[in-house]
Amino acid sequence: MAKNVIPSTPQKRERKSTAGSDMGQPKAPFKQTPSDPRKQKMWGWALVFLSLYMLGAFVWYLFTGAADQSVVDSAFTTKLRISSRETQNGMGFFGLLLSHFFIFRWFGIAALGFPFLLFLIGFKIAQKRELLPLQRTTQLTLVYIFLLSLFFGFLVLKTDSVRSMSFLCGGIGYEINSLMDHYIGWGSFFVVLGGFGTVLVYFHGINSFDELADRFENPIKRRARPVDLEVVSEEDKYPEPILEEEDEEVMAPAVALPKKETVTVEAEIAKTIELNGNLPNGKAAAKSVSGGLTLIVENADEMTDEKSPADEIPVSGTTTKIPVVPFANADHLANDLVAEHGPYDPTLDLPNYQFPTLDLLHNRGEGSSKVTAEELEANKDRIVETLGNYGISIASIKATIGPTVTLYEIIPEAGVRISKIKSLEDDIALSLAALGIRIIAPMPGKGTIGIEVPNKNREMVSIRSVLASKKFQESTFDLPVALGKTISNEFFITDLAKMPHLLMAGATGQGKSVGLNVLLASLIYKKHPALLKFVLVDPKKVELTLFNKIERHFLAKLPNSEEAIITDTKKVVHTLNSLCIEMDNRYNLLKEAGVRNVKEYNAKFTQRQLSPERGHCFLPYIVLVIDELADLMMTAGKEVEQPIARLAQLARAIGIHLVVATQRPSVNVITGLIKANFPARLSFRVTSKIDSRTILDTGGAEQLVGMGDMLLSSGSDMIRLQCAFADTDEIDEVCDFIGNQRGYPSAYNLPEFSGDDEETDREAVDLADRDSMFDEAARVIVISQQGSTSLIQRKLKLGYNRAGRIMDQLEAAGIVGPFEGSKAREVLITDIASLEQMLKNF
């Protein structure tokens, strides 16, 4: 569209520079919604009570409208006062007039939809949340009001009951039907019927009677179906589920693979429009002219409309036997076997496994941006003013609205040094009165300088919206991980197999545990249990306990271990060493198969070119998740560091990937040996710039705003993300859904690993060659009841090495217990008399 541009004269520009900041604001034709929350609540609740008043008046009119007709006829006459006293409508004369116009004159009984809409609007203004999607509900309600008025008008006209039943259709419905009856007669019935059919197809996506009947299925029955989501094209504005049936070729004819559920995705592409007041629903892009400077605003929203599954219910509690198919020893035999039996399918071990459905997750709304035009203009003016105070001129400025922060990209005038703008970070933060200002100078791959400013009203990114996004559903990654949204409101999906390991850090309460839950949930929603296993290490014992329910599906553990989630430090060390053994075994299999990575190996195995008789088997991906590394480093130190470093160095090619999280990213926790092998680092808000440099090799993480705001460093790229939110009950629902299905007999068994036996250690110490200070050290330990090497050093004035040897001898003698990391050893002798008797026996 062409736009009228009024050139700014020098006199006008001078007036703008001397005027207040409000003069630069574009004038809106109407008053804006009051910014005071008290006024918003007042107007919202006023609309709610008005809707209830209208509903009462309408319902009363249906019973007393005929008796009150004389009162309405005398309205606005000299008898108004007298007649209004005779009103039988309980809501008074004003309620009677409202009912008369809405029901009798206009839409009939369908006018009851107007109080319903008014209630939804008032509730949204008062509570700042929607009971139902307001835009879609408004469209449907208005369409149904009109169609119902037409339908009842047809009935009233054809039954010739205008006097007694006119309240059903109202004046609009009756008059339109009279007009259609005059020209097309009974054809008006098909017009009304076609209107309802159009609504069913356009708004509800129902294309057949079978689909209409399917809508009335038992919700519990629908919920039990598997999920494999498909994306519908962008042109379908409000599509409903499309039922699909796919014939799968399987080796066992009696086994039916799960069918797929369809999900629709509506994506809005970033636009650029003129900013002259408000951003409509936060989905517009904008630009305005203020003080001769253009502000371009980009805002890309991606919304999803998840639908419930529509598949057959698989028979539960049944076990299907898969016929044993031989594997080949030569390529030509393999081709014959594949032609006869098909490729090997590892998922047939659990043929009736159902993927968790999206309705297990909370629908938290569309999540549209809440940044207003006034906020954008105010921030722009303050940035320009602050830079102008230091003699820095700006050529142009552009704003990109994200869920947590808005990125202002500026292009300075020629001759301005970038370092000068970078040094003004604190000054800009002071002028904006905002926490977490971050300057990116320059923006990678762009000729601009970025200033990230937190939004006053941040958007929550729900895990349901991310998992239902087109990017995630169409992802072909080996291990797709849905982290959240970028600063430009795009869903961010990455491949854990390409990272290949992830190091996470963040202070307490900044979203680290939620991020781990989102990572695990996204993998569970995408991968079959036969293709993926988790090794979960939780020293805090409470963060990952929800995943105990999927032990027989997704978890891996040591043989004969009672709990699949490892919490004990000794078992952590054994598990890490067991994974190292698994890594070595897998490399031997790759060597024999003549391939370089697990993907090539599994491809060869599924084509029946590798025989199980020679020890070959399908290798699932293994993801090791450590929730708190700092605690393990304190208690086990080198025993934990060495296997983690070895796995990080070598395990990528054989399908073992690490996700390590810590609250304290200090150098004694994230050592150089560990850090060098984790190219992908993810940091939530940390407490200091030193911690930020430790985890990301650069500052910035200390300026994040918390609650899921994070920085992802992968190679040379640094991306700011808003982590998706997954509540505890959502993860619990997903784990319950999977855990209630038939799984494997037990968790995936890792190779056995036995640590050094305590008795062997005791025998290695020769008690006949005890230190001369052994007796004195034993007395000191028993008297103080503290098994500490440093205590022996202080009391007996010995060096560390000699005190350590004495402590080993005390352990071998049974006076103190084994080494427990940073904790003091347990003293096994409780009194000095027992000790003296033991020393005499020696």
Side-chain angles (χ1 to χ4, degrees):
M1 294 178 60
K3 297 180 176 63
N4 296 327
V5 179
I6 302 176
S8 179
T9 62
Q11 291 83 3
K12 289 183 179 179
R13 286 196 297 269
E14 184 177 356
R15 269 189 237 112
K16 288 180 180 178
S17 63
T18 57
S21 60
D22 293 338
M23 298 300 293
Q25 299 284 348
K27 294 183 178 180
F30 300 100
K31 292 184 178 180
Q32 304 299 320
T33 304
S35 58
D36 189 346
R38 293 175 298 177
K39 293 182 179 179
Q40 290 183 352
K41 285 186 178 292
M42 179 187 70
W43 285 109
W45 287 117
L47 292 178
V48 168
F49 289 123
L50 177 60
S51 68
L52 297 177
Y53 175 81
M54 290 179 62
L55 179 64
F58 288 3
V59 173
W60 222 298
Y61 182 82
L62 297 178
F63 298 98
T64 63
D68 284 340
Q69 187 62 39
S70 59
V71 178
V72 177
D73 294 337
S74 64
F76 307 109
T77 64
T78 56
K79 300 180 181 180
L80 174 61
R81 291 185 178 180
I82 301 175
S83 60
S84 62
R85 295 175 185 172
E86 301 173 354
T87 302
Q88 297 186 22
N89 194 305
M91 296 300 168
F93 182 69
F94 181 70
L96 174 62
L97 288 182
L98 278 177
S99 306
H100 176 74
F101 280 99
F102 275 91
I103 296 178
F104 185 80
R105 291 286 184 88
W106 294 340
F107 300 104
I109 196 173
L112 291 171
F114 288 106
F116 171 69
L117 284 181
L118 196 62
F119 180 85
L120 293 181
I121 295 172
F123 188 86
K124 181 181 180 181
I125 295 175
Q127 296 296 318
K128 296 184 179 179
R129 63 184 180 92
E130 297 179 352
L131 292 176
L132 294 172
L134 192 58
Q135 181 179 1
R136 178 179 173 84
T137 304
T138 302
Q139 293 173 343
L140 283 174
T141 303
L142 293 179
V143 169
Y144 276 119
I145 287 174
F146 181 72
L147 287 178
L148 288 174
S149 178
L150 286 184
F151 175 72
F152 287 123
F154 176 81
L155 294 180
V156 170
L157 183 67
K158 292 302 181 182
T159 56
D160 198 19
S161 54
V162 179
R163 293 182 178 273
S164 59
M165 304 296 289
S166 59
F167 70 91
L168 289 176
C169 60
I172 291 179
Y174 183 81
E175 292 299 332
I176 293 178
N177 274 280
S178 298
L179 184 64
M180 289 193 300
D181 185 68
H182 177 74
Y183 287 102
I184 60 177
W186 279 88
S188 57
F189 171 74
F190 298 101
V191 173
V192 176
L193 191 64
F196 280 106
T198 302
V199 171
L200 291 178
V201 173
Y202 184 77
F203 285 99
H204 299 292
I206 297 177
N207 300 314
S208 66
F209 290 105
D210 292 336
E211 293 185 25
L212 182 61
D214 186 64
R215 295 299 177 87
F216 298 98
E217 276 188 329
N218 188 341
I220 299 178
K221 180 179 177 182
R222 292 161 60 90
R223 179 172 174 173
R225 295 171 180 165
V227 172
D228 190 2
L229 305 177
E230 178 185 341
V231 180
V232 180
S233 62
E234 183 182 347
E235 289 77 15
D236 300 329
K237 194 64 179 175
Y238 297 102
E240 287 291 315
I242 302 174
L243 302 181
E244 291 187 0
E245 293 186 359
E246 297 186 359
D247 296 331
E248 300 286 347
E249 294 183 4
V250 296
M251 292 183 291
V255 178
L257 291 181
K259 300 179 182 179
K260 294 185 177 181
E261 174 193 0
T262 301
V263 160
T264 63
V265 174
E266 175 188 351
E268 292 194 4
I269 310 302
K271 310 173 184 127
T272 302
I273 64 173
E274 291 295 326
L275 174 62
N276 53 10
N278 287 329
L279 293 179
N281 296 329
K283 300 173 186 173
K287 75 178 180 181
S288 69
V289 178
S290 176
L293 190 63
T294 301
L295 171 66
I296 304 174
V297 181
E298 296 179 353
N299 183 14
D301 289 336
E302 189 168 350
M303 298 178 294
T304 59
D305 185 14
E306 303 90 1
K307 306 300 177 185
S308 56
D311 303 305
E312 297 287 340
I313 297 182
V315 179
S316 60
T318 60
T319 303
T320 306
K321 294 183 178 180
I322 309 300
V324 178
V325 180
F327 285 75
N329 295 322
D331 290 340
H332 66 281
L333 293 177
N335 295 333
D336 295 340
L337 289 172
V338 170
E340 182 180 357
H341 301 284
Y344 173 78
D345 187 359
T347 63
L348 291 180
D349 292 340
L350 293 178
N352 294 326
Y353 174 77
Q354 303 169 21
F355 285 86
T357 58
L358 286 174
D359 60 349
L360 299 172
L361 306 174
H362 295 168
N363 188 356
R364 304 181 188 276
E366 299 177 354
S368 59
S369 178
K370 300 177 181 178
V371 180
T372 62
E374 290 80 2
E375 182 179 346
L376 291 171
E377 284 292 326
N379 288 342
K380 183 262 296 185
D381 291 340
R382 290 169 185 161
I383 291 174
V384 173
E385 180 182 359
T386 302
L387 295 177
N389 292 338
Y390 292 89
I392 300 175
S393 301
I394 303 300
S396 67
I397 183 170
K398 181 176 72 172
T400 304
I401 302 174
T404 305
V405 298
T406 298
L407 173 65
Y408 295 86
E409 294 184 63
I410 62 175
I411 300 178
E413 296 285 359
V416 176
R417 301 184 64 177
I418 294 179
S419 59
K420 189 174 182 181
I421 298 178
K422 181 68 175 177
S423 64
L424 298 177
E425 190 170 71
D426 295 336
D427 299 278
I428 297 175
L430 178 63
S431 65
L432 294 174
L435 176 67
I437 300 296
R438 181 168 169 263
I439 295 181
I440 310 170
M443 292 285 292
K446 299 181 180 180
T448 60
I449 296 173
I451 302 177
E452 294 176 348
V453 181
N455 300 332
K456 292 182 179 178
N457 298 314
R458 63 192 304 168
E459 170 195 348
M460 177 184 289
V461 180
S462 67
I463 185 174
R464 177 169 178 164
S465 64
V466 181
L467 296 184
S469 65
K470 183 177 180 180
K471 281 188 176 181
F472 185 77
Q473 294 302 321
E474 296 185 349
S475 169
T476 58
F477 292 152
D478 294 326
L479 294 174
V481 174
L483 291 179
K485 277 188 176 182
T486 64
I487 197 172
S488 57
N489 254 343
E490 297 178 357
F491 292 112
F492 185 82
I493 315 297
T494 187
D495 190 1
L496 181 60
K498 297 290 180 62
M499 285 186 172
H501 311 294
L502 179 62
L503 187 61
M504 299 175 63
T508 302
Q510 303 304 317
K512 179 167 51 60
S513 296
V514 174
L516 284 177
N517 287 338
V518 170
L519 183 145
L520 293 171
S522 58
L523 291 174
I524 289 172
Y525 264 85
K526 199 69 173 178
K527 307 298 289 186
H528 190 278
L531 309 178
L532 174 66
K533 302 297 176 184
F534 296 119
V535 178
L536 303 182
V537 177
D538 184 13
K540 290 189 287 187
K541 304 179 182 181
V542 294
E543 295 295 345
L544 301 177
T545 52
L546 294 175
F547 295 95
N548 260 325
K549 302 173 184 177
I550 60 173
E551 174 182 344
R552 294 183 299 109
H553 297 82
F554 282 102
L555 299 191
K557 65 178 183 180
L558 292 172
N560 302 321
S561 178
E562 295 180 0
E563 296 183 358
I565 297 179
I566 304 102
T567 57
D568 183 70
T569 304
K570 290 183 181 179
K571 291 183 179 179
V572 172
V573 175
H574 290 180
T575 302
L576 293 176
N577 285 282
S578 176
L579 280 173
C580 292
I581 297 174
E582 173 76 9
M583 177 182 68
D584 295 335
N585 293 340
R586 289 192 174 199
Y587 268 117
N588 290 332
L589 292 176
L590 264 62
K591 178 183 176 182
E592 293 180 6
V595 294
R596 300 182 60 185
N597 55 58
V598 70
K599 197 170 183 179
E600 296 176 2
Y601 176 87
N602 284 336
K604 214 168 184 179
F605 187 83
T606 54
Q607 293 301 314
R608 305 187 183 280
Q609 298 175 10
L610 303 173
S611 175
E613 296 178 358
R614 301 181 59 184
H616 292 288
C617 61
F618 187 86
L619 300 180
Y621 284 98
I622 297 178
V623 177
L624 169 64
V625 178
I626 300 177
D627 184 46
E628 185 49 70
L629 179 64
D631 183 74
L632 296 179
M633 294 296 292
M634 289 176 60
T635 56
K638 294 293 183 181
E639 294 181 89
V640 170
E641 180 186 3
Q642 291 178 356
I644 288 178
R646 189 162 183 263
L647 288 170
Q649 290 169 357
L650 302 174
R652 170 185 180 178
I654 44 84
I656 299 178
H657 303 277
L658 280 63
V659 178
V660 178
T662 181
Q663 293 180 358
R664 192 184 65 186
S666 55
V667 292
N668 60 335
V669 174
I670 305 176
T671 62
L673 192 60
I674 293 178
K675 187 176 177 181
N677 296 288
F678 283 81
R681 289 86 172 272
L682 192 152
S683 179
F684 295 88
R685 186 182 181 185
V686 294
T687 55
S688 66
K689 185 175 291 187
I690 296 175
D691 289 345
S692 177
R693 292 186 180 276
T694 302
I695 182 69
L696 298 176
D697 293 330
T698 184
E702 79 281 359
Q703 296 174 330
L704 300 176
V705 295
M707 296 179 63
D709 191 18
M710 60 187 180
L711 289 172
L712 176 63
S713 172
S714 180
S716 59
D717 298 332
M718 182 78 70
I719 305 171
R720 190 166 187 175
L721 304 170
Q722 174 62 39
C723 181
F725 179 73
D727 205 353
T728 302
D729 57 348
E730 293 179 277
I731 303 299
D732 195 24
E733 283 279 335
V734 173
C735 293
D736 277 336
F737 181 85
I738 297 174
N740 290 332
Q741 302 182 46
R742 184 175 67 87
Y744 295 100
S746 63
Y748 184 84
N749 283 329
L750 299 174
E752 290 188 8
F753 175 82
S754 58
D756 296 333
D757 188 71
E758 294 182 6
E759 295 298 327
T760 302
D761 291 343
R762 290 188 180 184
E763 292 174 2
V765 178
D766 186 6
L767 293 178
D769 187 20
R770 299 190 304 274
D771 191 279
S772 60
M773 301 295 292
F774 176 84
D775 294 354
E776 290 297 324
R779 294 186 181 98
V780 169
I781 293 296
V782 173
I783 292 173
S784 63
Q785 286 293 302
Q786 180 181 356
S788 171
T789 304
S790 60
L791 179 65
I792 298 177
Q793 287 181 263
R794 294 196 310 271
K795 295 293 185 180
L796 304 180
K797 299 180 181 180
L798 302 177
Y800 178 79
N801 292 334
R802 186 178 179 184
R805 286 194 299 270
I806 294 176
M807 184 60 71
D808 292 337
Q809 294 172 2
L810 292 173
E811 180 186 356
I815 298 174
V816 296
F819 176 74
E820 296 183 6
S822 61
K823 299 180 182 178
R825 294 174 184 252
E826 181 183 0
V827 181
L828 304 178
I829 306 298
T830 58
D831 58 276
I832 195 67
S834 300
L835 175 63
E836 293 296 341
Q837 182 64 37
M838 178 181 289
L839 294 179
K840 288 180 181 179
N841 295 334
F842 286 155

